[in-house]
Amino acid sequence: MSAPSSESPEQREFGRRRSPESINLSNRLFYTCLSIIGGTYVLLIVAMLFADVAYMVDRTLTASEDSPTPWLTAIVENPISKAMGDPKIRYSTWLSLISCTLAAVISVIVAVPMGYLLSRHQFPGKRLLDAVLDIPIVLPPLVVGLSLLILFQFPPFAWIARSVVYRVPAVVIAQFSVACAFAVRTMKSTFEHIDPRCEQVAITLGCSRVQAFDRIVLPEASRGMMTAFTLAWARALGEFGPLLIFAGATRMKTEVLSTSVFLEMNIGNIEGAVAVSLIMVAAAIIVLIITRTWGVRDDRV
Amino acid sequence: MDPRLSMINVDNISVRAGTFSLKNVSLRLPTGKYGVLMGKTGSGKTTILESVLGLRAVSSGRILLAEEDVTQLNPAVRGVGYVPQDGALFSHMTVQDHLAFALRIRSVDSETTNQRVHELAEMLQITGLLNRTPHGLSGGERQRVALGRALSFRPRVLCLDEPLSALDTETREQMCQLLDNVRRLTGVTTLHVTHNLDEAERLADCLFRLEDGKIEATSNP
């Protein structure tokens, strides 16, 4: 639409209007570009998982090709079953499940008070503390492991070093020292999203600080705690660098799933490594589903 | 209690809240009266309310409730009911739990608690909502629940922080009637903070205007 010619020059719209078609085309291009750029990454994630599965299926089919009972062979001879049949892998699976859960539980126990203090209170050195809590996140994992190893040379840690270093406790400590930083971040933002007025009201109603925390803040933070637990758990499951240095990679002793992948690769057993990777993918997905459904149920109340 | 006494006596207090500060402010509200504290946004009326509640420490001056110096007293033992601006309801609790919360904290037996919950629900006309959670309650309903929660333990003083500011005109009118009703039924001394003149004139026995850090008191006929 152009301005009627009867209008005086002062009232005429400046410049030239673009045609609706050109605007529409430009908008469509804009969103196409966004989708393509963003989609590439999603595609990469999905393709990686598919490749693992495809590799697995291919190996299974090859194994069952010449067998008289292809179905039975497919079930017994596929790389995941073979891996799970290996007592070493079974051990590392159990150790992973137990150590990750322990590390995640301890992380949440530490992260709740830490996150609460950071989100609610001002105190000297708060910015410094906040920066210190980022160290495990930004530090190269190998350095975390090495630092832990060095730390256990000094008392009082040195006194218990014999029963920790290169043993199962070292696995949990190494996983905890990194995973906890993520849990603290999550809990801090959880508490920041809870209205401090609620606590203040509870206090005017006669609550002590502990009662207000226990009855008002914690129930409101339960979803955040679940998220912090999942994040810490997943982080602990993938931990490898600090473990290798601080806990070692001894089979049937300090071997967790990520170590298994590494050890299988080392002896040239790609099939085994992929199988263990898929076990980890499955474990991660199960934890994700459990916490998501828990979270949704909590949300509806 | 002698009605000539001041229930709320804010005696020459100075408060600092971040970069904002109030100096030497005083306010007296007689027992059983409905006081409305008016002022522009950012004039510090909420800060004064928080000082009465004990949620904000005063740097000088005294706060007396029923002639008792409570300046250093923990908010949990001041016996002041509080309705914050947006209600600040507890999202994981039912309406019933809100009304019973203070009584449970104060270890009141469950029979008395139940009785009180129903009495409050009737007064505030929220009997039908008792089993609901705050999720999905309307603005007016939320404020009723917040009011019930604050009144539940029979406080000697009730502090309302802009309780009607987020409501539409019709709901606001209903809430005004309700507040009138509550005052008649309970006789609780109330300090109500608002920036709305209609609301102030409608409800106030005593009107306090906070301007440029000074409070000017007038009684409302």
Side-chain angles (χ1 to χ4, degrees):
Chain A
M1 263 198 300
S2 61
S5 55
S6 64
E7 270 179 26
S8 63
E10 297 91 69
Q11 288 173 325
R12 201 173 298 145
E13 193 175 320
F14 279 114
R16 188 172 55 87
R17 275 192 191 169
R18 290 176 67 174
S19 73
E21 292 79 21
S22 113
I23 292 284
N24 281 344
L25 183 67
S26 157
N27 288 355
R28 218 170 291 147
L29 266 174
F30 173 67
Y31 282 108
T32 314
C33 283
L34 289 190
S35 320
I36 290 175
I37 296 170
T40 315
Y41 182 54
V42 179
L43 211 67
L44 178 70
I45 300 174
V46 177
M48 281 188 323
L49 292 179
F50 263 107
D52 284 346
V53 175
Y55 182 84
M56 215 44 23
V57 170
D58 178 56
R59 283 301 144 120
T60 312
L61 289 180
T62 322
S64 57
E65 224 165 35
D66 306 323
S67 156
T69 50
W71 281 109
L72 188 69
T73 320
I75 292 169
V76 179
E77 289 291 299
N78 79 68
I80 293 186
S81 303
K82 271 200 278 187
M84 287 312 282
D86 184 344
K88 296 194 287 290
I89 305 293
R90 275 213 299 274
Y91 177 86
S92 81
T93 307
W94 277 114
L95 183 61
S96 263
L97 292 179
I98 293 167
S99 65
C100 290
T101 308
L102 252 170
V105 167
I106 303 171
S107 293
V108 172
I109 290 172
V110 172
V112 167
M114 195 63 125
Y116 184 70
L117 286 176
L118 282 172
S119 77
R120 284 287 193 276
H121 295 282
Q122 294 299 328
F123 48 86
K126 184 179 168 181
R127 289 168 64 104
L128 184 69
L129 177 66
D130 210 54
V132 167
L133 286 167
D134 273 340
I135 291 178
I137 297 175
V138 296
L139 216 59
L142 283 173
V143 178
V144 173
L146 187 64
S147 308
L148 280 170
L149 194 65
I150 303 296
L151 174 69
F152 274 78
Q153 310 241 331
F154 291 98
F157 300 98
W159 301 333
I160 50 164
R162 285 179 71 99
S163 47
V164 173
V165 181
Y166 300 130
R167 285 168 190 275
V168 174
V171 174
V172 180
I173 293 173
Q175 289 173 337
F176 161 78
S177 54
V178 176
C180 188
F182 290 86
V184 170
R185 284 274 158 265
T186 312
M187 286 322 298
K188 183 179 174 235
S189 87
T190 301
F191 289 127
E192 272 165 1
H193 282 97
I194 296 173
D195 188 1
R197 288 273 171 220
C198 289
E199 269 167 277
Q200 293 183 337
V201 169
I203 286 170
T204 62
L205 292 172
C207 283
S208 64
R209 279 269 164 206
V210 181
Q211 283 174 316
F213 185 71
D214 176 47
R215 292 177 185 234
I216 305 301
V217 183
L218 275 187
E220 306 252 332
S222 59
R223 279 198 78 188
M225 282 163 73
M226 213 55 216
T227 312
F229 178 86
T230 322
L231 211 63
W233 198 92
R235 186 68 221 189
L237 183 72
E239 209 56 77
F240 174 63
L243 283 175
L244 195 63
I245 293 186
F246 186 49
T250 323
R251 299 222 100 151
M252 302 296 282
K253 197 169 167 196
T254 57
E255 181 187 359
V256 288
L257 285 171
S258 52
T259 325
S260 295
V261 174
F262 173 74
L263 292 173
E264 295 297 336
M265 283 298 285
N266 256 4
I267 56 172
N269 181 7
I270 298 181
E271 239 180 80
V274 175
V276 176
S277 301
L278 281 176
I279 295 172
M280 290 170 84
V281 169
I285 288 175
I286 290 169
V287 168
L288 205 66
I289 289 173
I290 291 174
T291 49
R292 279 291 154 102
T293 43
W294 192 321
V296 168
R297 199 195 305 150
D298 195 45
D299 199 27
R300 234 180 3 207
V301 170
Chain B
M1 190 175 293
D2 189 342
R4 285 165 303 178
L5 292 178
S6 298
M7 178 53 90
I8 303 178
N9 183 0
V10 176
D11 185 19
N12 215 19
I13 60 163
S14 301
V15 205
R16 189 172 299 134
T19 54
F20 173 83
S21 72
L22 274 175
K23 281 209 180 71
N24 308 327
V25 195
S26 299
L27 177 158
R28 268 170 171 273
L29 184 63
T31 304
K33 295 291 184 188
Y34 199 108
V36 175
L37 178 59
M38 279 201 66
K40 290 200 207 80
T41 310
S43 59
K45 24 188 215 315
T46 298
T47 309
I48 294 176
L49 197 78
E50 286 176 343
S51 308
V52 173
L53 282 156
L55 297 172
R56 195 172 288 284
V58 299
S59 48
S60 73
R62 296 186 308 159
I63 290 169
L64 297 99
L65 296 180
E67 306 298 320
E68 176 201 355
D69 189 343
V70 297
T71 319
Q72 302 301 329
L73 212 57
N74 190 292
V77 290
R78 288 193 185 193
V80 181
Y82 176 35
V83 178
Q85 192 164 357
D86 51 0
L89 299 183
F90 309 142
S91 64
H92 62 283
M93 283 190 196
T94 62
V95 170
Q96 184 157 10
D97 289 336
H98 277 85
L99 301 182
F101 184 79
L103 304 185
R104 288 187 188 141
I105 288 289
R106 287 153 192 264
S107 338
V108 175
D109 65 273
S110 61
E111 198 181 324
T112 318
T113 305
N114 272 337
Q115 235 170 357
R116 180 66 177 152
V117 165
H118 284 97
E119 185 184 310
L120 283 164
E122 217 152 284
M123 178 167 76
L124 301 166
Q125 296 148 31
I126 48 174
T127 311
L129 305 175
L130 282 178
N131 292 317
R132 296 264 298 274
T133 56
H135 187 75
L137 293 186
S138 73
E141 288 166 343
R142 296 176 78 91
Q143 288 307 72
R144 282 163 199 256
V145 176
L147 188 59
R149 179 180 59 183
L151 286 169
S152 60
F153 62 98
R154 293 214 186 104
R156 47 188 181 173
V157 172
L158 184 63
C159 284
L160 311 173
D161 191 2
E162 312 224 9
L164 314 180
S165 65
L167 305 178
D168 58 79
T169 326
E170 200 178 319
T171 318
R172 188 188 288 238
E173 178 50 35
Q174 287 172 4
M175 281 298 288
C176 273
Q177 281 173 17
L178 186 75
L179 285 171
D180 246 348
N181 232 352
V182 167
R183 168 174 45 174
R184 254 189 322 103
L185 290 171
T186 62
V188 62
T189 311
T190 309
L191 185 59
H192 176 136
V193 160
T194 181
H195 57 252
N196 183 317
L197 186 64
D198 291 341
E199 206 175 295
E201 287 178 337
R202 164 94 204 260
L203 292 164
D205 297 320
C206 308
L207 197 57
F208 305 94
R209 278 172 206 277
L210 180 60
E211 259 171 60
D212 304 322
K214 291 276 167 266
I215 290 183
E216 197 185 302
T218 46
S219 65
N220 198 21

